[in-house]
Amino acid sequence: MNSVNNINNINNNFSFKGRCPQIKDAQWVCHVVNTAYPHVSTTRFSAPMYKLKKENPGLYSRFLDKNPFNFVDPFNFKELKLVAMFDWQRRLIDKLNRVRKEWQYGFKTDFRRVNNLIGQLKYNKIGNCGEDAMLAEAILKINGVDNACTAGLKAGNSKIDHSVCVFNRDGSHFDGTITKNTIVIDPWLGTADFASNMFLKYKNLCKKYFFNIKDDSKIGFRDIKNLDMTGEEALLLALRHDKLMFPSITKEFMQ
């Protein structure tokens, strides 16, 4: 779909040449999340599917109320195609919810949470922005960035249904206060940058994906969470999942 290509091409609108090492390494984290364990995101298709549902409200309403294919004229190929797309999206969302329950039920530690998350992405190959953000935080902590966290976005007092990884490059604790050191890693969009620059990207390029972002929105963070893992647990994750280790051949991570 064009929406997926548009998301993947967001970085083409910005040059990362000459950026600080923390931004370059944050971009590496995005790359690892999307290539170490390739997976499908149900929310990547939300915007185009929302548009199709809005353009065909009667058909979508009938789809919700009845057996998907029993009410469509078998010779109306346009409606058949739309119903097939509605049905595909619903089954994909149902699969994600089922997979999440299977992998994320019963864990007692954040170490187990991350290990199970990697299993979900590796074997079921499905996950959304929340999984992407948590894996990015885990990668940072595996590689020694202890102040990384996961946070949701908001526009004013309105909740944006999107999660990212956040950290301060000076090593200070992130409590929601945005400073010149605050960096956002958004693997779902495939990009990372200073928070102020990321907010501009959301406003200029992502309004069709996040419907409550307006030109005058004040974007911020909500529901900040930290993975609680010991150094030994981070090392064990690194040993189990060596793809998440930074290849420090010529430089140290974030240096």
Side-chain angles (χ1 to χ4, degrees):
M1 287 188 177
N2 289 336
S3 64
V4 179
N5 293 331
N6 289 340
I7 291 175
N8 292 335
N9 289 332
I10 280 179
N11 272 330
N12 293 339
N13 295 278
F14 296 86
S15 173
F16 283 89
K17 294 180 180 179
R19 287 296 184 90
C20 72
Q22 291 84 6
I23 296 297
K24 291 181 180 179
D25 289 351
Q27 192 63 47
W28 172 82
V29 173
C30 283
H31 176 75
V32 171
V33 170
N34 288 298
T35 60
Y37 309 107
H39 55 280
V40 174
S41 167
T42 62
T43 53
R44 284 193 183 278
F45 307 102
S46 295
M49 292 302 295
Y50 175 80
K51 182 179 179 182
L52 289 175
K53 294 169 186 176
K54 191 174 181 180
E55 292 173 348
N56 302 273
L59 180 66
Y60 183 60
S61 177
R62 284 182 283 145
F63 166 78
L64 293 176
D65 293 338
K66 301 179 180 180
N67 187 290
F69 295 97
N70 286 350
F71 62 89
V72 181
D73 182 348
F75 297 101
N76 189 328
F77 298 112
K78 178 181 177 181
E79 286 197 352
L80 283 171
K81 182 178 180 180
L82 286 171
V83 169
M85 293 174 69
F86 296 156
D87 187 52
W88 170 82
Q89 185 193 33
R90 181 168 65 181
R91 286 186 287 106
L92 187 62
I93 292 173
D94 289 344
K95 179 181 178 181
L96 174 61
N97 292 334
R98 184 172 63 254
V99 165
R100 279 175 168 169
K101 288 181 180 179
E102 291 173 354
W103 280 104
Q104 299 180 19
Y105 176 78
F107 54 76
K108 296 181 179 180
T109 66
D110 283 345
F111 166 78
R112 179 70 180 275
R113 182 198 300 263
V114 173
N115 202 57
N116 282 17
L117 168 61
I118 293 172
Q120 174 186 323
L121 298 179
K122 182 177 181 179
Y123 296 109
N124 293 101
K125 301 183 184 303
I126 190 167
N128 278 336
C129 61
E131 283 90 349
D132 292 348
M134 185 185 297
L135 182 55
E137 180 187 350
I139 292 172
L140 286 173
K141 291 186 172 177
I142 286 172
N143 289 282
V145 181
D146 296 327
N147 66 331
C149 61
T150 299
L153 295 182
K154 63 180 181 179
N157 294 321
S158 178
K159 175 182 176 181
I160 299 173
D161 187 18
H162 191 59
S163 297
V164 297
C165 177
V166 190
F167 71 102
N168 287 330
R169 64 170 177 165
D170 63 354
S172 61
H173 172 71
F174 180 75
D175 61 1
T177 303
I178 300 163
T179 71
K180 64 180 181 180
N181 291 306
T182 304
I183 292 176
V184 176
I185 302 178
D186 192 332
W188 191 85
L189 286 176
T191 189
D193 209 331
F194 291 108
S196 57
N197 293 335
M198 286 296 291
F199 293 165
L200 289 176
K201 292 182 184 183
Y202 292 135
K203 288 183 179 181
N204 294 333
L205 300 171
C206 302
K207 285 186 288 187
K208 61 182 175 180
Y209 305 115
F210 311 131
F211 303 114
N212 46 354
I213 293 182
K214 310 298 181 185
D215 290 337
D216 59 350
S217 293
K218 184 178 180 181
I219 302 177
F221 299 101
R222 58 176 174 81
D223 302 327
I224 300 169
K225 299 177 182 178
N226 297 85
L227 292 172
D228 183 15
M229 295 191 298
T230 66
E232 290 78 8
E233 288 173 331
L235 177 59
L236 184 55
L237 281 174
L239 293 174
R240 287 185 177 181
H241 312 286
D242 59 346
K243 294 180 180 179
L244 308 184
M245 284 292 294
F246 183 71
S248 55
I249 299 174
T250 58
K251 66 180 289 292
E252 293 185 19
F253 189 59
M254 293 290 170
Q255 300 298 318

